[in-house]
Amino acid sequence: MEEISTGPPPMKSVMMFTSDVRDTDRGQVSKNEDCNYAKGRWVVDNRRPLYSGFGCKQWLSAMWACRLTQRTDFSFERYRWQPKDCKMQEFERFTFLKRMQDQTIAFIGDSLGRQQFQSMMCMATGGEDSPEVENVGWQFGLVKRRGAIRPDGWAYRLPNTNTTILYYWSASLSDLVPINATNPISDVAMHLDRPAAFMRQFLHRFDVLVLNTGHHWNRGKLTQNRWVMHVHGTPYKDGELADIRNAKNFTVHNVVRWLDSQLPLHPRLKVFFRTISPRHFLNGDWNTGGTCNNTTPLTKGSEVLQDGSSDSVVEDAVKGTKIKILDITAISVLRDEAHMSGYSIRPTNGMNDCLHWCLPGVPDTWNELLVAQIQYLM
């Protein structure tokens, strides 16, 4: 699915959360470096959201700002994730930026990765106008090409701590190379065994790398994007990888192995592979009348008690490596009320977005889990 785009008065941007909430009825607190942050429950927190849904216009795409749409129920903004067996300090942006001083966080992935990047920018700035923040996209070649709708990504430097936060669009994480560079409608070689060129080129500049992929791995997307699968530099037509699920699995494992081999060369680098964000379409898909009209939080329950990840592809890929899993799948499955749904600035009849999330919203929690894990790797 492609990205698609009156309520109460604006909330004051939340500047600081310093309380360390412990779930005293949830057993002993474990060593946080060993914590399974994906095991726990959603709890109401009326101090949420972390930034205003009316603000953060510098970073937040209007199509994902549900406060700017016709939606009238915003209870989805009021939930915090509480891990079961360990405590997690709530996000405080000044502490986070101080920890990330002189460092670069890179998000590489699809439009859900772009949502996580926009969430991080809003969280890091408190959703406030920040004219001091510097656009440094040009340093990473992230400039809008002639005829393009948008650049391939964005990069911003927060000068007070010299912290850079960037996003690069790579929906499959594989290297995409036009077969005929002089033909604008050329087929594109999708090298399943070669990580994206951007990642290879700039890996040495990253301190934290967050990857994701998933929803572009279908025949419709490959056809639409004119992607032709290649392995060992030649087209791949017949065999095991012709099954798109196997091709995705192969690519994810390949990217993880390559990154794991690079870590000794980049000792300060911390790599996270984020698990897939769930879809919540009912009675159809995005283009066949599927909906996600529920606005009541946690109708599917509030707890995740499983030990393993619901994304077995990523879980298996990172096993035995130094790449960390950022496991958000099962906790996000419980939040079907927090999608864009049919709300948008310019609604499209019969089309609902049950893939992307309202912001502020669930991707803020993904970043909170990321920040909690970064803390114990530094």
Side-chain angles (χ1 to χ4, degrees):
M1 177 178 177
E2 293 297 319
E3 296 174 354
I4 57 178
S5 29
T6 61
M11 297 180 57
K12 184 177 180 180
S13 176
V14 179
M15 295 289 293
M16 299 179 64
F17 287 112
T18 57
S19 62
D20 188 8
V21 181
R22 174 172 174 177
D23 228 357
T24 55
D25 62 339
R26 296 279 154 181
Q28 296 299 313
V29 174
S30 67
K31 293 182 179 179
N32 276 49
E33 61 267 30
D34 299 324
C35 177
N36 181 356
Y37 287 96
K39 191 174 183 179
R41 62 174 180 166
W42 289 102
V43 296
V44 175
D45 187 338
N46 287 322
R47 297 166 296 174
R48 299 283 163 138
L50 297 173
Y51 52 90
S52 167
F54 288 102
C56 203
K57 294 180 180 179
Q58 275 181 272
W59 326 116
L60 176 53
S61 296
M63 63 181 174
W64 292 331
C66 283
R67 288 271 179 176
L68 303 181
T69 71
Q70 304 85 0
R71 184 164 183 156
T72 58
D73 180 89
F74 301 98
S75 57
F76 66 89
E77 295 181 345
R78 301 291 186 180
Y79 285 84
R80 170 177 54 82
W81 180 252
Q82 176 62 48
K84 179 177 184 292
D85 294 322
C86 51
K87 57 185 180 180
M88 185 172 75
Q89 286 194 340
E90 296 185 55
F91 181 81
E92 196 282 295
R93 66 187 180 100
F94 300 111
T95 300
F96 166 68
L97 289 174
K98 184 65 176 176
R99 184 178 297 130
M100 296 304 300
Q101 186 156 355
D102 302 320
Q103 298 192 54
T104 295
I105 299 179
F107 296 92
I108 297 180
D110 58 23
S111 56
L112 279 303
R114 182 180 165 204
Q115 286 210 297
Q116 190 173 0
F117 158 75
Q118 292 189 6
S119 162
M120 179 62 83
M121 288 301 303
C122 291
M123 291 168 66
T125 60
E128 300 177 345
D129 289 338
S130 304
E132 75 282 0
V133 174
E134 181 183 0
N135 184 340
V136 293
W138 60 272
Q139 296 183 9
F140 299 90
L142 300 176
V143 294
K144 183 178 176 181
R145 300 187 304 273
R146 178 174 295 181
I149 298 175
R150 62 177 71 93
D152 289 334
W154 296 265
Y156 297 101
R157 188 180 73 89
L158 287 75
N160 289 344
T161 55
N162 191 34
T163 302
T164 299
I165 303 173
L166 71 83
Y167 163 76
Y168 177 76
W169 186 88
S170 178
S172 69
L173 302 180
S174 56
D175 199 19
L176 301 176
V177 182
I179 293 175
N180 182 353
T182 63
N183 182 357
I185 58 172
S186 167
D187 286 343
V188 177
M190 181 188 191
H191 294 278
L192 304 182
D193 53 353
R194 188 192 305 169
F198 179 87
M199 194 188 316
R200 303 196 312 270
Q201 181 179 357
F202 293 106
L203 190 68
H204 67 285
R205 297 190 58 177
F206 303 156
D207 298 278
V208 174
L209 173 59
V210 184
L211 304 174
N212 89 282
T213 188
H215 292 292
H216 282 247
W217 289 94
N218 60 74
R219 284 293 169 188
K221 283 295 184 185
L222 265 65
T223 300
Q224 177 185 339
N225 294 320
R226 302 188 301 278
W227 291 345
V228 178
M229 293 192 291
H230 281 57
V231 178
H232 302 311
T234 60
Y236 189 97
K237 296 181 180 179
D238 300 313
E240 195 172 300
L241 299 186
D243 185 318
I244 201 73
R245 293 167 298 181
N246 293 337
K248 173 192 170 186
N249 197 340
F250 175 84
T251 301
V252 169
H253 277 75
N254 182 77
V255 169
V256 167
R257 283 195 304 270
W258 178 77
L259 283 166
D260 197 46
S261 73
Q262 296 299 303
L263 288 180
L265 306 176
H266 308 284
R268 74 176 190 276
L269 176 63
K270 294 162 283 292
V271 181
F272 297 84
F273 209 120
R274 204 203 74 216
T275 61
I276 195 166
S277 173
R279 295 155 43 102
H280 285 99
F281 290 98
L282 295 174
N283 303 315
D285 214 318
W286 68 274
N287 58 348
T288 57
T291 61
C292 47
N293 295 329
N294 176 43
T295 58
T296 303
L298 306 176
T299 58
K300 300 177 184 293
S302 63
E303 291 187 315
V304 173
L305 298 178
Q306 66 194 46
D307 292 317
S309 175
S310 295
D311 187 340
S312 59
V313 173
V314 171
E315 184 177 46
D316 291 344
V318 303
K319 191 175 299 180
T321 74
K322 294 183 179 179
I323 312 304
K324 304 297 182 182
I325 188 170
L326 180 58
D327 191 2
I328 58 87
T329 304
I331 73 173
S332 304
V333 164
L334 300 177
R335 300 302 309 278
D336 64 309
E337 90 289 5
H339 286 292
M340 294 299 304
S341 186
Y343 304 103
S344 67
I345 296 175
R346 291 180 297 276
T348 302
N349 289 336
M351 186 173 294
N352 288 264
D353 187 348
C354 305
L355 171 63
H356 298 100
W357 304 89
C358 290
L359 290 175
V362 171
D364 303 331
T365 296
W366 304 348
N367 280 326
E368 288 183 281
L369 299 187
L370 171 67
V371 171
Q373 293 185 63
I374 290 173
Q375 177 179 350
Y376 291 95
L377 295 175
M378 298 182 69

